[in-house]
Amino acid sequence: MNLIGMDIDAPVVAPPQQRQTLEDALADVFGALLETDLRDGSTISDIANICTEMANELRTQATEQLHRPARYMALMTQADEMDAHAATWTLLFYLYGASLATLTPAGAGGPSLAYGSRNWLYRQLLADHIKKEIDADVARCARVVSWLESTADEALKRQANVPFPPGEGLWLETKTEMRTRSGALVSELDPDAPGRMGRLLHPSNAKSQERILARVWQLLRAGKLQAAQEVCDNVGQPWRAAALGGGGLYGALPVGQTAEDYDNGPVVHLQKEELSDEIANGRGPLLALWRWAARQAAAAGAGDKFERAVFGALGGDAAAGLPVCATWEDFAWVYCRSWLESWAMRSTPPEAQPTADLVSGDAVMAALVRCGVAQDVAKNSVEGAMSVVTSGGGGGGGSGRAYITEIIDDAAAARGFGVLFAQHLMAAEAMANAGPTAVQAVRQIQALLIRGDMDVLMADLCRMIESGHRDGGAVGDAGGSAGGVVIEGGGGGGALFGGGGGGGADLERRQRICALAAHMLLALGGLGELVPQTNPDMAFLQAQVNVKKAHRVLELYTRALLAQEKLTLAPRYLCVLPVHVRNSLCSELLELYTKRMLDVDTSAALRASDGANVERADVNRQHLHHGTTTSAATTAATALAEADAACSHIVAELGMWFHRCVLLQKHHAGYGSSAGAGAAEVEGPRCGYQWTDVSENELRNQLAFFTLGCRYNREYGPYQRARVARWLAQPHIVATAAAQTREGSNSGSIYNADGVVDADIETAADRGAMNGEEDAARWVAANVDPMSYHDLLDFVNCLCCEFALGDDVTAAAGQLLFTEVLPRGLEMAVISAVLILEEELDKAHQTAATYLNEEGVVEAEAAAAEAEAKKQLADRLRNLLSELEEWALYYDLNAKLSAWSERHSACSRAAPGQGGSSEAEVLRDGGELLRELLTRLLKPTWQQELAASERAFAAAADARVQLTLTLTCPSTSTHDSARDSYPELQGASLHQFSYDLQRGLLRARADRELEMGMEVVPAVGGRGHITLNLSVAAEPQLWRGLVDLVCTLLRGELEGVPPVLVVTLDADRATSLAVCRRCRIGQIVRRCAALRLSLVGLGLSAESEDAGSELVEILAEPAGHSGANLLDSHMLELLSPVQLAQVLQMEALTYERHLRNVQECRHRLPLKEGEAGIGR
């Protein structure tokens, strides 16, 4: 390749790999967090590993940015922060998970010698004291020390320190230099010489000494005292190893992994030796004496700072270790380790050594003086040591007791571990040494967890996230971040995180902290730390407050996922939210998918081309689904199919998580019932150690709740409402897809290995391969809640009523229901569901009879009630399906009629020879359409039985029939497309319309002497639609009057009331169908009369069957005996006087046109004798 005149091959840049974000990684773990027993620590360690992996990845990226110092430093800071987050999750396990897993931080104090509790070692007594949590502060401090030592151990493993060469600790250079008799160096080579003589070692030996002791300090900091002793032995300082091991091979009080190694290690012989010493000298005085000696060594003032720090840590002198602390964790370990050992020995004091068993203090002092120790120093040392071993831990006011209670020389230590930690490690000056601002924030979280201060932690987390959400107004992605929630905004981030912000680094920091904080709250809830108490006291009230704050944090995090369009991650978090929050967020989730689906332009697919689509849109009673996609709309159809597949996927995800929660709630039902009424009132049954209250019908309820809200949403027009109905069909669609997959794999479960769908019902189709559509439909119906079919059919029928009562625009939306919304195989699946219910009904009757014979009256009544419920559901499904078939017929013929009208208009405008549909084709198709309208739709029995008054009275509440209409005025409408929302009224037009409507209804009610309750409710906020509430007693005459009045209003024939457009209609199915039947039949009759006129205009004889000559005969057909209890059985009764006048007028025009045609034909072609008129 030639670049700028040079023959150079351009480098091939590989496309960047998609890096998993923090939210994705955490969501992967959340499934296990929801259902796994957290006591094994696997879930917590998984999140810690995620943080560690991200830290390593950031460090790898930093190595590639060495030429950009600012970017390098930023990446390294983020890596340090992620390491701190990993440490937080490890702390979470040590504080809460380990205790649930019966892992005691101090172990058992070494292997048991099986000699009985009376022969326990003092170290075992200390461990047992911590295990039983006799002093909660001591046990908590032990867990914190375990965590601090584990993090230091991990840091040591990452460092990969090079071993010291043998003999590194020998003072050979000092020995050589001694021969020169230089006065600056020591003149003796014993270990105490530098301190005793106040002289130095050779510089090279001093540096080696510092390196060795620094390594010893690192190992001691990690709890690896045995490894520190091995280092001393290897470098040639066995005397130092002996000094370090004076309190035991693993230290005075090993915790964490070290305690586990001690319990499982081959140290029985050491335990026996120690037991022998304690039998001889008492429990604990030798350990107390050794710790006192270590403290004296640290306070001597001579030697290396690391040496003082090492002996200070062994003796409990926190001040001696502070100079070598490099991190906040180092400071925390020094304070916590010193407090732990001192307070544990205070709680379990060592026994006093009898004075008779001791060597004379004067003899010891004389020996020290002979070794060069000053007289006063020797005296004080001997007296201090004697006080330690003789008074044990209980000497009143003696120096022995003082070294225990005042081991950390401040008042905070005496008030408990929490006060000590807050004063020394949570103060501003302590946090200043914790690292960058991002790391300091994580340390604050760790500090609050260590103190167990959930109130402050919840308050700060909630305040930070809410302030960012409120001030910034949005939660979104920060470019190039590690993934997570970004809380935008500058002010008031809360005491925990500070109030600054606005810069990219601060946003990324908040992003990571908030993502991990949400999951930390989930883990705390699973570990039982955020579960409300059962006792009605202040703790109970505060626990409720904390749980609500945790829910608020989780809610905002879930909203952030929605804002970042990480929609597939949201379903799993909905399970752990309260019902009202879950409903709201689930609706938001579904609305986002709905908007994606509605954004797909399918207008091309809605337009028929030359009637071809209309023919294909004929009613198919096998599946109620018709394809109308043309080649011109292939792209739009593909996009719509992809959007629909995404909707199916999210429904499957919701179903999977809800179903999983239900199963786990049943599994842990015993735990939930034993938790007490107080906890159950707040959180519900415990699910996988997460508190949830997911119902068995959760998915169906959420879909019904969302679709119902969309139906009443002013922003949703007819097209949007029709599309929304697809959500209720998704359970059937998902089950159908699973059935197709199963047919190939012959699997017995509707859900795959990932749990996309699940079913517990086994049908005949489950026990063998499915044969044909009927078996497949039965299998699908068996794995879908029959109430889901009920919700779908009821919702679609309601929309059909509302769309039919509108205009041509809403009628197009109604046709969309049957062409693109309702799925294939629906009718057959509903019929199968009815058959399954009837089979279960028979079984329920048999069960009731069995119980009754066995004198199980209560069980028999329950079985009978179940049978009655199944019967009612089966009847409702059958009626709803019948109604849907009638609506399918109506919208199919209505669409054909509209398409024919367009063809007729185009044919009339076209000049001869311009192509398109010929006049003969239009004439033929019009005649066929008219015959179909007259024979299939214009008959008294159309929806007659479903619109019976008895059905309305059976569904009436409080013996009154209720009907609610939401109306608007189409005169001010820009409602040109089904995609537009319904026109809204506002201002003067709203008030005028409301006034005219109320006045007209009052006048009509008075004229008809109709006893009817009426309420006209104006739009909220002065903009929107008018709501009309009507009600009558459940009596046939009043019900007829109500239906007649509503039809008069909707047909625009109510005096003084302008034309109205129906937005929603709420009533029982019979009343709704009665209104629709009266209004629509009259309209169809008028359109048939218009079609008849057009056909006669094209040349057909008005007296021929092709021109609908029987229309007048149908209207004049007398009522049958079957219509006695129905609203009406005479077709003429369905037309208002105005409609009848219009029909008769068009019929007159038809015959006028017919006569004109006959006259014109006679002029063109004189009739022969005996010939009849045209058309015979």
Side-chain angles (χ1 to χ4, degrees):
M1 180 178 180
N2 188 279
L3 294 178
I4 319 179
M6 297 181 291
D7 191 11
I8 300 176
D9 290 334
V12 179
V13 180
Q17 296 183 351
Q18 186 68 26
R19 184 165 57 90
Q20 189 180 38
T21 64
L22 182 60
E23 294 95 343
D24 294 330
L26 293 175
D28 291 341
V29 179
F30 179 75
L33 184 64
L34 184 63
E35 66 178 357
T36 302
D37 187 343
L38 295 182
R39 291 178 294 181
D40 62 2
S42 60
T43 303
I44 296 177
S45 62
D46 286 343
I47 298 182
N49 291 336
I50 290 172
C51 298
T52 301
E53 290 173 3
M54 287 193 167
N56 295 335
E57 182 180 350
L58 289 167
R59 288 192 178 91
T60 302
Q61 295 177 17
T63 58
E64 301 172 357
Q65 302 293 327
L66 293 174
H67 60 289
R68 301 170 61 190
R71 179 62 177 163
Y72 171 81
M73 294 300 298
L75 290 172
M76 291 301 295
T77 300
Q78 292 181 21
D80 293 339
E81 181 190 355
M82 293 310 298
D83 278 334
H85 280 302
T88 303
W89 282 93
T90 307
L91 171 64
L92 202 64
F93 173 74
Y94 276 103
L95 286 177
Y96 304 106
S99 60
L100 291 177
T102 65
L103 300 176
T104 57
S112 175
L113 299 178
Y115 295 150
S117 60
R118 292 184 179 182
N119 292 320
W120 277 9
L121 297 175
Y122 181 64
R123 198 187 324 276
Q124 292 175 330
L125 291 178
L126 295 176
D128 185 66
H129 182 88
I130 295 174
K131 177 181 179 180
K132 294 180 179 179
E133 297 195 13
I134 298 174
D135 189 331
D137 272 1
V138 173
R140 193 172 193 84
C141 182
R143 296 190 186 100
V144 174
V145 173
S146 301
W147 166 66
L148 292 168
E149 292 182 352
S150 69
T151 57
D153 186 34
E154 291 297 325
L156 272 179
K157 293 176 181 177
R158 289 196 300 266
Q159 291 178 7
N161 292 315
V162 178
F164 291 108
E168 178 71 13
L170 299 178
W171 299 343
L172 299 178
E173 287 78 5
T174 301
K175 179 181 178 181
T176 302
E177 192 68 22
M178 285 171 53
R179 297 172 182 172
T180 64
R181 301 297 182 179
S182 174
L185 301 181
V186 296
S187 58
E188 300 176 4
L189 295 178
D190 61 278
D192 296 329
R196 185 179 66 253
M197 302 179 66
R199 297 182 180 182
L200 303 176
L201 298 175
H202 190 274
S204 61
N205 295 144
K207 291 181 180 179
S208 297
Q209 187 88 342
E210 184 177 0
R211 289 195 301 268
I212 293 170
L213 289 171
R215 180 73 58 82
V216 170
W217 164 257
Q218 290 178 333
L219 293 170
L220 183 63
R221 166 73 178 81
K224 303 297 182 182
L225 182 60
Q226 184 183 18
Q229 296 176 54
E230 292 176 357
V231 168
C232 294
D233 283 329
N234 293 336
V235 299
Q237 295 184 351
W239 50 269
R240 192 182 300 280
L244 296 176
L249 184 62
Y250 293 87
L253 185 58
V255 295
Q257 185 62 46
T258 305
E260 184 177 350
D261 294 342
Y262 188 22
D263 293 343
N264 300 325
V267 293
V268 175
H269 64 288
L270 297 178
Q271 295 283 90
K272 292 180 179 180
E273 293 178 4
E274 192 168 345
L275 179 60
S276 176
D277 290 339
E278 291 191 358
I279 291 175
N281 302 310
R283 289 174 174 168
L286 295 182
L287 178 60
L289 182 61
W290 172 76
R291 295 189 74 247
W292 175 85
R295 180 176 173 82
Q296 302 306 308
D304 182 81
K305 64 178 180 179
F306 286 104
E307 184 176 21
R308 293 194 298 272
V310 167
F311 284 107
L314 295 175
D317 186 357
L322 296 180
V324 300
C325 293
T327 65
W328 180 85
E329 292 168 306
D330 290 341
F331 282 99
W333 180 81
V334 166
Y335 281 109
C336 293
R337 168 57 84 171
S338 299
W339 190 92
L340 170 65
E341 294 186 3
S342 302
W343 214 258
M345 294 183 68
R346 178 178 183 266
S347 303
T348 308
E351 296 177 355
Q353 179 75 31
T355 307
D357 297 338
L358 299 177
V359 179
S360 172
D362 294 337
V364 176
M365 185 172 60
L368 291 175
V369 171
R370 287 196 299 270
C371 292
V373 179
Q375 181 76 23
D376 55 341
V377 174
K379 180 180 179 181
N380 292 335
S381 299
V382 171
E383 289 179 352
M386 294 292 288
S387 175
V388 168
V389 297
T390 55
S391 64
S399 60
R401 180 163 179 83
Y403 104 90
I404 295 175
T405 57
E406 299 173 3
I407 200 69
I408 301 174
D409 193 15
D410 57 26
R415 296 201 300 271
F417 175 66
V419 177
L420 168 76
F421 198 90
Q423 179 168 323
H424 287 281
L425 297 168
M426 295 183 67
E429 55 273 14
M431 282 297 167
N433 298 323
T437 305
V439 179
Q440 290 181 28
V442 183
R443 299 303 182 202
Q444 287 279 11
I445 295 177
Q446 294 171 359
L448 292 173
L449 286 172
I450 289 172
R451 291 191 62 193
D453 200 340
M454 291 298 167
D455 300 346
V456 177
L457 180 62
M458 292 295 103
D460 282 350
L461 282 175
C462 195
R463 187 186 306 117
M464 184 275 295
I465 296 178
E466 282 188 331
S467 63
H469 182 80
R470 179 177 59 253
D471 297 340
V475 183
D477 246 338
S481 65
V485 180
V486 179
I487 305 297
E488 298 180 355
L496 181 56
F497 301 102
D506 186 63
L507 293 178
E508 292 180 10
R509 173 175 64 85
R510 289 174 177 243
Q511 181 180 16
R512 290 185 292 272
I513 288 180
C514 293
L516 289 163
H519 290 81
M520 182 180 66
L521 298 183
L522 288 171
L524 287 171
L527 292 168
E529 292 302 313
L530 291 179
V531 177
Q533 305 296 323
T534 58
N535 298 324
D537 53 12
M538 291 303 297
F540 168 74
L541 298 176
Q542 187 59 48
Q544 285 185 321
V545 171
N546 289 339
V547 169
K548 290 179 180 179
K549 289 179 180 178
H551 284 159
R552 178 59 177 163
V553 172
L554 293 172
E555 175 190 353
L556 293 177
Y557 177 69
T558 307
R559 291 187 185 279
L561 292 177
L562 299 182
Q564 297 175 33
E565 297 189 353
K566 297 181 181 293
L567 305 184
T568 56
L569 303 182
R572 65 200 71 193
Y573 297 100
L574 297 176
C575 300
V576 294
L577 290 171
V579 177
H580 66 284
V581 179
R582 181 165 63 247
N583 292 343
S584 175
L585 289 177
C586 193
S587 294
E588 291 184 24
L589 174 66
L590 297 178
E591 186 174 5
L592 289 172
Y593 276 95
T594 302
K595 288 182 178 179
R596 290 183 178 182
M597 182 171 58
L598 295 177
D599 288 340
V600 178
D601 185 10
T602 56
S603 58
L606 296 175
R607 293 194 298 267
S609 174
D610 296 331
N613 288 338
V614 176
E615 295 178 2
R616 287 199 300 271
D618 195 7
V619 176
N620 186 335
R621 295 182 181 276
Q622 294 299 320
H623 48 69
L624 289 174
H625 178 90
H626 324 287
T628 62
T629 303
T630 64
S631 58
T634 302
T635 303
T638 302
L640 184 61
E642 292 175 352
D644 186 66
C647 294
S648 299
H649 176 73
I650 200 62
V651 168
E653 280 284 307
L654 288 168
M656 176 190 69
W657 289 104
F658 291 155
H659 180 70
R660 180 180 296 182
C661 282
V662 169
L663 293 180
L664 291 168
Q665 285 171 188
K666 292 179 179 179
H667 179 70
H668 295 289
Y671 185 94
S673 61
S674 64
E681 290 175 359
V682 178
E683 293 296 318
R686 193 171 192 181
C687 167
Y689 300 97
Q690 289 288 340
W691 289 85
T692 65
D693 53 359
V694 176
S695 67
E696 293 189 8
N697 302 320
E698 187 72 33
L699 178 60
R700 181 177 68 83
N701 294 340
Q702 292 295 346
L703 294 176
F705 178 79
F706 172 70
T707 52
L708 188 64
C710 293
R711 182 174 163 225
Y712 293 102
N713 191 336
R714 297 185 331 195
E715 298 179 359
Y716 278 68
Y719 173 82
Q720 290 86 350
R721 296 185 185 189
R723 283 291 182 198
V724 162
R726 183 76 170 179
W727 284 111
L728 294 174
Q730 287 298 340
H732 171 82
I733 295 171
V734 173
T736 302
Q740 295 172 353
T741 304
R742 176 187 176 278
E743 189 173 4
S745 62
N746 198 24
S747 170
S749 176
I750 188 173
Y751 279 102
N752 58 23
D754 296 330
V756 178
V757 184
D758 198 8
D760 298 325
I761 303 176
E762 184 183 8
T763 65
D766 287 322
R767 294 185 288 271
M770 291 184 291
N771 298 319
E773 295 182 358
E774 292 185 2
D775 284 347
R778 183 176 178 83
W779 190 88
V780 170
N783 288 283
V784 175
D785 185 355
M787 284 301 299
S788 295
Y789 288 123
H790 179 277
D791 293 342
L792 172 62
L793 297 180
D794 185 69
F795 186 81
V796 172
N797 285 334
C798 287
L799 290 182
C800 287
C801 283
E802 294 167 356
F803 293 159
L805 294 173
D807 50 19
D808 292 339
V809 175
T810 61
Q815 177 65 10
L816 181 71
L817 288 169
F818 297 96
T819 57
E820 297 187 23
V821 174
L822 294 178
R824 294 182 182 275
L826 177 61
E827 182 182 20
M828 189 176 294
V830 174
I831 293 174
S832 298
V834 172
L835 294 176
I836 292 174
L837 285 172
E838 290 175 346
E839 293 173 2
E840 295 175 350
L841 173 62
D842 295 338
K843 294 179 181 179
H845 281 307
Q846 295 174 4
T847 302
T850 302
Y851 280 131
L852 191 59
N853 293 333
E854 296 176 358
E855 298 182 358
V857 178
V858 177
E859 293 81 358
E861 291 178 352
E866 180 184 359
E868 181 63 23
K870 292 183 181 297
K871 179 181 181 300
Q872 292 179 2
L873 179 57
D875 292 341
R876 289 200 304 270
L877 285 176
R878 190 180 288 108
N879 293 335
L880 289 172
L881 184 60
S882 298
E883 181 185 347
L884 187 65
E885 291 176 343
E886 298 286 0
W887 282 121
L889 172 65
Y890 168 82
Y891 281 105
D892 173 55
L893 295 178
N894 185 73
K896 288 182 178 180
L897 185 56
S898 299
W900 186 90
S901 298
E902 292 182 3
R903 292 174 61 197
H904 177 260
S905 300
C907 183
S908 302
R909 293 191 302 267
Q914 283 189 350
S917 299
S918 66
E919 189 173 295
E921 291 176 349
V922 173
L923 189 62
R924 183 190 68 247
D925 295 340
E928 295 176 355
L929 176 59
L930 183 56
R931 283 197 303 273
E932 194 172 8
L933 284 167
L934 295 177
T935 57
R936 300 182 64 187
L937 195 59
L938 288 185
K939 54 183 180 180
T941 57
W942 184 73
Q943 291 188 345
Q944 189 179 41
E945 183 178 355
L946 297 174
S949 59
E950 289 81 358
R951 294 180 180 272
F953 299 156
D958 299 328
R960 292 191 68 83
V961 178
Q962 307 281 343
L963 186 145
T964 301
L965 282 167
T966 306
L967 303 171
T968 188
C969 185
S971 59
T972 59
S973 172
T974 58
H975 188 60
D976 299 328
S977 169
R979 294 175 180 272
D980 297 334
S981 59
Y982 286 92
E984 295 184 351
L985 302 173
Q986 60 179 337
S989 60
L990 175 65
H991 294 294
Q992 184 64 41
F993 180 72
S994 177
Y995 174 75
D996 292 342
L997 179 62
Q998 187 166 9
R999 185 179 62 175
L1001 288 171
L1002 289 173
R1003 184 187 302 113
R1005 184 177 65 176
D1007 293 343
R1008 300 170 190 235
E1009 297 181 354
L1010 183 62
E1011 296 180 3
M1012 178 184 69
M1014 185 185 72
E1015 180 186 14
V1016 178
V1017 182
V1020 178
R1023 178 185 178 92
H1025 309 136
I1026 298 296
T1027 301
L1028 175 62
N1029 297 317
L1030 304 175
S1031 65
V1032 295
E1035 299 178 6
Q1037 184 177 359
L1038 295 177
W1039 182 72
R1040 291 170 183 268
L1042 171 66
V1043 172
D1044 182 68
L1045 177 60
V1046 172
C1047 291
T1048 304
L1049 170 65
L1050 298 183
R1051 288 191 293 239
E1053 300 172 2
L1054 194 62
E1055 182 182 359
V1057 178
V1060 298
L1061 178 64
V1062 175
V1063 180
T1064 60
L1065 167 62
D1066 289 306
D1068 59 88
R1069 297 306 313 142
T1071 304
S1072 298
L1073 286 176
V1075 172
C1076 291
R1077 184 167 178 267
R1078 277 209 160 197
C1079 292
R1080 291 306 93 198
I1081 288 295
Q1083 184 191 43
I1084 289 294
V1085 169
R1086 286 188 301 173
R1087 297 190 70 177
C1088 285
L1091 175 58
R1092 172 174 160 78
L1093 176 60
S1094 299
L1095 292 175
V1096 172
L1098 291 174
L1100 281 181
S1101 172
E1103 298 177 354
S1104 67
E1105 292 184 358
D1106 290 341
S1109 59
E1110 65 271 26
L1111 175 60
V1112 176
E1113 298 176 2
I1114 292 175
L1115 294 178
E1117 183 180 355
H1121 296 290
S1122 61
N1125 297 324
L1126 302 178
L1127 176 65
D1128 41 49
S1129 58
H1130 200 298
M1131 183 62 67
L1132 194 60
E1133 296 179 4
L1134 298 176
L1135 275 68
S1136 67
V1138 175
Q1139 290 176 329
L1140 182 59
Q1142 293 173 347
V1143 171
L1144 293 177
Q1145 182 181 6
M1146 282 188 284
E1147 187 66 18
L1149 292 175
T1150 300
Y1151 269 93
E1152 180 182 345
R1153 180 62 181 171
H1154 167 73
L1155 294 176
R1156 188 182 303 117
N1157 290 344
V1158 173
Q1159 186 177 5
E1160 291 176 355
C1161 183
R1162 286 175 178 173
H1163 283 300
R1164 291 194 305 267
L1165 182 64
L1167 291 174
K1168 297 179 180 181
E1169 184 180 354
E1171 288 182 341
I1174 64 171
R1176 296 187 179 182

